Amino acid sequence: MAPERPLEALAPPGYISTLTRRHPHQVVGLGLLLLNVLMVLLCANLLVHARNDDLASARTEALNDVRLGERALGAILDKASIAVVAVAVQVERQLAHGGGVDASTFWSLIDTQIEQVGEIDRINVFDAQGRQLCGLPAERCQHLDVSDLDLFRQLRDHPDGPVRLFGPLRSRPDGRLGLVLARAMRLPDGQFAGVAAALLPMVWLRPLLDVTDPGPGGSVGLRNAELASILRQPEYVGADAAAAARRVSAALRESIVSSPAEATYIAVTPGDGMERVVAYRKFDRYPLYWFEGRSVDFILTGWRTQVAWTGAFLLLFAAISGLLGRSTINAMQRQVQALRLYNDAPCGYHTLAADGTYLSINATELGWLGCSRDEVVGRLKPSDFYTEAGRAQFAERFAEFLRTGEVNGVEYDLVGRHGQTRRVAVTATIVRDDKGRFLHTSSVFHDITALDEARAQLRVLAQQQGVMLDNELIGIVRLVDRRMVWTNQAMNRIFGYSSSEWRDLPTRALYFDDASHRLVGKELQAALRQGGHYRTHLLMRHKLGHGIWIDVSATRLSADNTEVMLLLADISALKEAEEARVRSIELESQNAQLREVSRLKSEFVANMSHELRTPLNAILGFGQMLKSGRVGPDSPRYASHLEHIVDSGQKLLSLIDQVLDFARAEAGKMVFEPDTVSLPHALYEVVELLQAQAHERQITLQIDVDEGVEAVVTDPLRLRQMLMALTSNAIKYSHLGGKVELRAQLVDAAWWQVTVSDHGIGIASFDLPRLFRPFLQLSAGTTKTHGGTGIGLALVQLLARSQGGRVEVSSTLEEGSTFRIILPREPVKPGEPPAPGAASGTG
């Protein structure tokens, strides 16, 4: 085992010992000088490698960023190319049939492709002469002519190529700059048929520059095949902006020649004179380069701080050395202090033999290993404390290290005896004698565990933030005073705005009116002041003007509630599904009603046949008796039979008239002829006509007319028809010897009413909703107790509604019923809708 002699290795044999005997203070001074020189060299070496590491890391990060940017823009260009091809193929197919382009579907074909690629501003199609093809509506067409453009001539002369990229070109309709993706169209015989082209405005592509962050002083940009800048953040400004965009450094040209696909280099940017670490990547299918530059000044900010601290450390070390050199009495003590500085340094120091075993090691590294010096020196190697992967890496690197003489910034996981693992970065050089023979290595371990953990956390954080930003499902927005400060990509998809349009956009733009905007603002502030979250469903406004249902969740970011974070999810599909479910329930209910109406009509036909057959049988029976001669004109029964025939005919005519009136009223073809009517006279006329029926059942009919309704304007025939139906029913369903009351009165300044009340059998509460249904009798079949067709009350309701009025009913079982005909004082004119509330009522 070789002795540990780090100082003696730097001087000829015997020199130190001789000098120590004769001039011990010189030995101390020489040793301190050599130690300072060694420390300066070591620190300089560390600083150089730290600087190189910072620049290398910046190169790697910049290259990763340009790859990301190239993929993002490349994906957009690919989608736009697919849209152009889709339009071109459809137009080619239509042209191939010889009928020309289908104008009715032309714009919808283009709109479908534009909707799938949000970055496309427009797609135009031009014929073989360069004139724009147009569809319907014709006003959408701009009647452009591109026959003078170079892109049209290139595609016309070489129509067999794929989609090609041109630009940036200035749009003729609005003068905006943009990239153009164009493809030639061909007929089946290969003849040139025209061009399909899509415009991607540069202003819409500018948000892509925000995908990565090059840091202060950095730049992100897009260059064309001639390396001229066509899109850059920050933009060149001033009168020299256009010339600055065309300037290209010699370093870039040399790098493009040697590595055309992608590379990094360090150079001064000609446009603004700033030195940057620059990375570029060429697009695979398009004549474009994506660039990112990171400011060297910003990259080396931390390194300069490290230089300052290292300089301070060296000055301190030199000062200590100077103090040690003032007195030879304290030489050994000061040497111990220097050794303590070596041992207690924040990094690990050691030297290795040619076979990799330890020759020397400081206390810091021994503490990391959890071993004593005797257990390590001459017995173990650093690889004994590495992981399995680290040992394999050390074996490979150490052999290379012996050949090259140095290694910088290699990282290992160092596992101590007690199982504690730390991440270390190794910097080492080989020390040789004056003949170039290997003496030992001089190595430094830097504990970068905290740095490694921080890098891991940053990677996780970057991944989480990336997931959040790339999320296309949930929109995320940060508001300050209800204005947009930051939005993610999902907001573009949900509301149709581009990333640049969101900046400082007021939330009012997402609402249909001021009232709903103010209401949501009040509710939001009230919820946040209580320390809670706010959540609701809102119908919000898309950029194109249509409504979308949004699930909104909000939480505050500042104590004064001025800064708020919102999460927005598009639930329009859920709302549509719910509406479809409600419509399905409504349709099912309507179907059930139709089935009920069909059943009731069947019952009505059966009931009507019975009602018609009774008077018909009477007519036929008495008529046959008269025809047979068995009852002669001189017989007393002759007049009675004729009376029966006439009564049955009138009853039959009444039934038919009632059915016809109902059909006309239901079809809206009932003719009304309003006139001034004396209500007392109309009521007495009805009582007179029904007096025989009332007398038969011993019913008393009573009339009462309030002041103010002696004369009204209404259709007298229809009024009598309604009163006859209600009074006849009241008589029919009253108990023998009962009383029926007819009363006319004012409701208010706009309405009057007639009520018909009885004290008969009444109507059960569960039957009231069915009372005015056509063809329905509450007693039917074998339980039917009274005659009738089942359309009398339904006809009364139709007549009242057709005149702008309504019918109401109140009833108690076994106590009687009250029917009210409520009509307007100003009759509805033909063609006018009923007055508000006219259709209300129990019926």
Side-chain angles (χ1 to χ4, degrees), residues 317-462:
F317 190 82
I320 293 173
S321 300
L323 293 175
L324 292 173
R326 292 179 182 179
S327 174
T328 58
I329 299 173
N330 298 321
M332 296 301 298
Q333 183 179 0
R334 294 178 182 181
Q335 184 178 13
V336 170
Q337 292 176 352
L339 291 174
R340 184 178 298 116
L341 180 62
Y342 167 82
N343 276 325
D344 297 337
C347 51
Y349 293 104
H350 62 256
T351 59
L352 302 179
D355 61 355
T357 58
Y358 282 102
L359 289 179
S360 66
I361 183 170
N362 73 340
T364 299
E365 189 172 341
L366 283 172
W368 294 350
L369 301 181
C371 300
S372 67
R373 194 178 305 275
D374 293 337
E375 290 176 313
V376 173
V377 175
R379 299 176 182 272
L380 300 177
K381 303 176 181 180
S383 58
D384 294 328
F385 301 91
Y386 294 160
T387 60
E388 194 67 34
R391 283 191 287 273
Q393 183 183 4
F394 177 79
E396 178 183 353
R397 293 270 186 175
F398 194 73
E400 181 182 356
F401 171 57
L402 293 177
R403 292 192 303 272
T404 61
E406 65 177 2
V407 64
N408 295 298
V410 180
E411 297 182 9
Y412 296 98
D413 284 327
L414 192 67
V415 183
R417 282 281 178 85
H418 303 299
Q420 183 181 7
T421 302
R422 67 185 69 242
R423 190 74 171 173
V424 296
V426 181
T427 300
T429 57
I430 292 179
V431 178
R432 303 180 185 276
D433 62 12
D434 54 354
K435 296 183 179 180
R437 291 175 296 187
F438 178 93
L439 293 177
H440 56 81
T441 70
S442 177
S443 306
V444 182
F445 274 0
H446 289 279
D447 185 354
I448 60 169
T449 304
L451 175 61
D452 188 65
E453 293 174 352
R455 290 188 300 197
Q457 292 175 358
L458 287 175
R459 287 193 295 268
V460 172
L461 180 60

Side-chain angles (χ1 to χ4, degrees), residues 123-203:
I123 297 178
N124 290 325
V125 181
F126 305 90
D127 61 17
Q129 285 73 43
R131 296 186 299 269
Q132 183 181 9
L133 293 177
C134 301
L136 296 176
E139 54 268 27
R140 285 190 60 179
C141 189
Q142 298 169 321
H143 303 290
L144 303 176
D145 189 330
V146 296
S147 58
D148 59 331
L149 295 182
D150 184 61
L151 72 85
F152 178 82
R153 292 193 291 268
Q154 290 185 36
L155 293 171
R156 180 191 60 197
D157 297 338
H158 304 282
D160 294 329
V163 176
R164 298 179 60 185
L165 180 70
F166 301 87
L169 301 176
R170 195 169 295 280
S171 171
R172 288 184 170 176
D174 53 19
R176 290 192 297 177
L177 281 175
L179 297 178
V180 177
L181 285 165
R183 176 189 180 274
M185 299 187 297
R186 301 176 293 277
L187 296 177
D189 59 359
Q191 183 180 354
F192 175 73
V195 171
L199 176 66
L200 284 75
M202 301 301 291
V203 67

Side-chain angles (χ1 to χ4, degrees), residues 209 219-223 229 231-233 289-293:
L209 300 181
S219 64
V220 181
L222 192 67
R223 292 180 180 267
S229 177
L231 192 64
R232 189 178 189 271
Q233 180 67 31
Y289 290 88
W290 191 280
F291 279 79
E292 177 174 308

